[in-house]
Amino acid sequence: MKSRWLLIAVSMLALMLSAGALKGQFSGFVDMGAAYTDNAFQLSEFDLDRNEAGHPDLEFVDSADDVILSTILYGTYRTHYRWWEIRPLLQFNGSQYLLNPDKQRVDFLAGLKVSRRLGEAGIYYGYTPEYYIRNYLDKDGSGDSERYSYEKNLYRADLKLKPFQKSTASLEYRFEQYYYNKFFTEYDGDITTWTLGWEQSFPGFYLNGSYGYRVYDADEADFDTPEDASYESNIYNAGILIKKMDLDSRYPDIQWRPELALRFENRYYQGSDDWHAARTDNLNSTTATLHFYFGDDWNINLDYSYFFRNVDAATSSVSKYKEYGENRFGFDVRYYF
């Protein structure tokens, strides 16, 4: 753990020093927001009822709903080498659950983008020190309710090209390494995702869509009957973003626009244990956002998201524990500098 924190600190220092040695312009933003969720642990209806009844299996839940405070710090340094624009960047993401403080989370991202008139390419490294999901019974270990959490390394590369003036094609590769805590090491594994996307500009709006193929290879565990959570999935994204419009003729510096984003994932598990045999998860999300712009420096976003997981499995009780729905209402304020 300490070595990863050191790697992040060294990466940040190296990027800052390289930025200081080049002639260019520093920019970035600060984003702060809050959201209300009615299902902080994404519990099934069965578990929500058990939590209301005070079942001991759900003692880790301080509150089924919660308020989430979020912060994003982003900085980039734009410089040029001949006809190339070069942008090292750093980003910090943090979130705090007010009623379930154990679910606090931080992420770090460092990257480098290189751009020309017809497109751009980027490489990135991200690190999540610890992400706590919930408690589960450690059936093949202590036999008690234990924290189910992981740390993660992210390696990412993307390419965007403009084959036509109003069209953008994109290709993204992600490689993620998951390391679970000592009670659930059977879930350690790597996730590889390839995503192909397209965005088209029309007179009054933008349309975008993408297809992703994801593979999760869980490491072999040293247990007699380990759970195998390996899966393959198809991921579909679609969205529409209206171009900026004046909010009122009396306030020419204030503009707004709505956005709608849809995501569908069909996840096919490969394991033969009771939890994963012949199991398919359909994970759907819908997000509607209103963007408000106050000049070039400030904008406010209001959004609503709905998440739903439908489960089909050989063992009938799996859906009872794994299907869930979640509503989330939020807003954030962003300042550019």
Side-chain angles (χ1 to χ4, degrees):
M1 179 77 73
K2 292 182 179 179
S3 62
R4 288 188 173 88
W5 281 103
L6 179 61
L7 176 61
I8 291 170
V10 171
S11 299
M12 290 182 174
L13 180 60
L15 285 170
M16 291 176 181
L17 290 176
S18 65
L22 298 171
K23 293 182 178 180
Q25 181 179 7
F26 178 77
S27 62
F29 64 80
V30 178
D31 188 299
M32 303 190 71
Y36 168 79
T37 173
D38 65 355
N39 194 352
F41 288 90
Q42 297 181 331
L43 301 176
S44 66
E45 286 292 335
F46 176 72
D47 275 343
L48 286 171
D49 291 340
R50 291 202 300 165
N51 179 61
E52 286 289 331
H55 196 283
D57 284 355
L58 283 303
E59 287 183 349
F60 64 91
V61 179
D62 293 326
S63 175
D65 60 351
D66 211 331
V67 174
I68 310 166
L69 303 181
S70 61
T71 302
I72 303 174
L73 303 175
Y74 174 85
T76 185
Y77 193 86
R78 295 174 179 264
T79 187
H80 289 82
Y81 177 73
R82 294 185 178 179
W83 51 83
W84 301 94
E85 181 182 81
I86 302 172
R87 287 175 288 166
L89 62 90
L90 294 170
Q91 181 170 319
F92 163 85
N93 302 315
S95 61
Q96 176 65 59
Y97 287 66
L98 295 185
L99 302 180
N100 297 280
D102 284 349
K103 285 187 68 65
Q104 66 178 347
R105 178 180 181 177
V106 294
D107 299 279
F108 303 91
L109 182 73
L112 180 68
K113 287 185 178 182
V114 179
S115 305
R116 285 195 66 184
R117 184 173 61 87
L118 295 179
E120 66 177 32
I123 55 173
Y124 313 87
Y125 168 72
Y127 176 56
T128 302
E130 182 185 23
Y131 180 33
Y132 168 61
I133 301 174
R134 54 166 292 172
N135 277 36
Y136 284 113
L137 290 177
D138 181 20
K139 296 179 181 179
D140 46 27
S142 68
D144 298 326
S145 175
E146 306 288 359
R147 289 172 60 90
Y148 181 71
S149 64
Y150 64 78
E151 60 178 303
K152 183 180 76 171
N153 291 310
L154 164 67
Y155 304 91
R156 184 179 122 209
D158 60 35
L159 175 66
K160 294 181 180 180
L161 297 174
K162 294 185 70 65
F164 310 106
Q165 183 179 2
K166 297 186 177 182
S167 305
T168 303
S170 61
L171 178 65
E172 180 186 88
Y173 170 76
R174 297 171 65 97
F175 179 72
E176 299 165 276
Q177 297 173 310
Y178 285 77
Y179 302 98
Y180 285 81
N181 60 21
K182 63 181 181 180
F183 302 106
F184 300 99
T185 56
E186 63 268 30
Y187 290 96
D188 289 356
D190 302 329
I191 294 181
T192 302
T193 309
W194 288 93
T195 303
L196 181 64
W198 188 275
E199 181 182 85
Q200 187 69 40
S201 175
F202 293 94
F205 59 92
Y206 301 94
L207 282 180
N208 66 79
S210 67
Y211 166 73
Y213 177 67
R214 174 175 293 171
V215 176
Y216 170 36
D217 288 321
D219 296 342
E220 294 184 7
D222 297 327
F223 300 101
D224 294 333
T225 57
E227 293 186 9
D228 183 2
S230 299
Y231 65 77
E232 298 179 3
S233 67
N234 298 303
I235 305 170
Y236 307 90
N237 287 280
I240 180 171
L241 175 64
I242 305 301
K243 293 185 177 180
K244 292 180 180 179
M245 302 173 288
D246 292 336
L247 183 65
D248 192 301
S249 60
R250 294 172 296 177
Y251 308 102
D253 291 335
I254 302 178
Q255 295 179 302
W256 76 290
R257 60 179 171 181
E259 180 179 11
L260 178 65
L262 307 174
R263 186 179 188 276
F264 308 95
E265 179 178 355
N266 305 121
R267 185 176 294 180
Y268 306 96
Y269 285 91
Q270 311 299 306
S272 58
D273 58 274
D274 290 342
W275 281 108
H276 302 102
R279 174 177 162 184
T280 300
D281 285 10
N282 296 303
L283 299 99
N284 307 315
S285 68
T286 302
T287 301
T289 307
L290 292 177
H291 303 272
F292 297 91
Y293 304 87
F294 301 85
D296 296 327
D297 297 334
W298 292 90
N299 75 281
I300 296 176
N301 304 312
L302 308 176
D303 62 76
Y304 164 73
S305 298
Y306 177 67
F307 306 92
F308 178 70
R309 177 167 64 187
N310 173 265
V311 177
D312 183 18
T315 305
S316 58
S317 62
V318 174
S319 60
K320 181 173 68 173
Y321 290 97
K322 294 298 183 179
E323 286 190 352
Y324 74 86
E326 178 189 2
N327 292 283
R328 188 173 294 193
F329 303 86
F331 76 92
D332 66 274
V333 179
R334 179 170 296 187
Y335 173 70
Y336 294 88
F337 54 85

